[in-house]
Amino acid sequence: MGADEETARPEPERTDGPQQEQEQEQEQEQERQQAGPAGLDARDRAVLALEARSWRTAGAKERAVREELGLSSTRYYQLLNGLLDRPEALAHAPVLVNRLRRVRDARRAAR
């Protein structure tokens, strides 16, 4: 069978039926499981996990943000700041979130 014969075959048509509805329900369940018990998505949990780590050298954290999360430093800190105000983040990592809130409040008060 040549390459022309493979491309000439039409794709089977998808029908809207019980099978497709079941697949959609499974996809939705997977998304809910990825959100985790605290209601945070995978990216939010990754931001909190990265923030919880300690860094030995200058620039290591920013490099990790770019490589692991694919975010700029500015966007990372925007997401992190938004997470600090969410009750889901507090439920997920209470010690970290409370510490970061105290640091943020102290910096605001110093201005």
Side-chain angles (χ1 to χ4, degrees), residues 1-12:
M1 190 176 336
D4 294 333
E5 292 176 13
E6 288 180 20
T7 57
R9 289 184 183 171
E11 290 249 347

Side-chain angles (χ1 to χ4, degrees), residues 21-45 86:
E21 290 176 12
Q22 186 178 16
E23 289 174 5
Q24 288 176 347
E25 289 176 9
Q26 289 174 347
E27 289 174 8
Q28 290 172 350
E29 179 62 28
Q30 287 175 346
E31 289 172 4
R32 282 192 292 271
Q33 288 176 356
Q34 287 176 348
L40 299 174
D41 63 15
R43 182 180 66 175
D44 293 340
R45 290 192 311 270
R86 292 181 54 192

Side-chain angles (χ1 to χ4, degrees), residues 8-76:
R9 289 184 183 171
E11 290 249 347
E13 290 185 28
R14 294 190 69 150
T15 58
D16 291 341
Q19 179 68 24
Q20 189 176 15
E21 290 176 12
Q22 186 178 16
E23 289 174 5
Q24 288 176 347
E25 289 176 9
Q26 289 174 347
E27 289 174 8
Q28 290 172 350
E29 179 62 28
Q30 287 175 346
E31 289 172 4
R32 282 192 292 271
Q33 288 176 356
Q34 287 176 348
L40 299 174
D41 63 15
R43 182 180 66 175
D44 293 340
R45 290 192 311 270
V47 166
L48 290 172
L50 195 126
E51 188 63 29
R53 287 197 244 165
S54 59
W55 305 98
R56 293 180 186 220
T57 62
K61 182 177 181 180
E62 285 73 19
R63 193 174 319 113
V65 167
R66 280 192 310 274
E67 292 173 0
E68 295 176 24
L69 301 177
L71 299 170
S72 68
S73 293
T74 302
R75 183 65 183 140
Y76 169 79

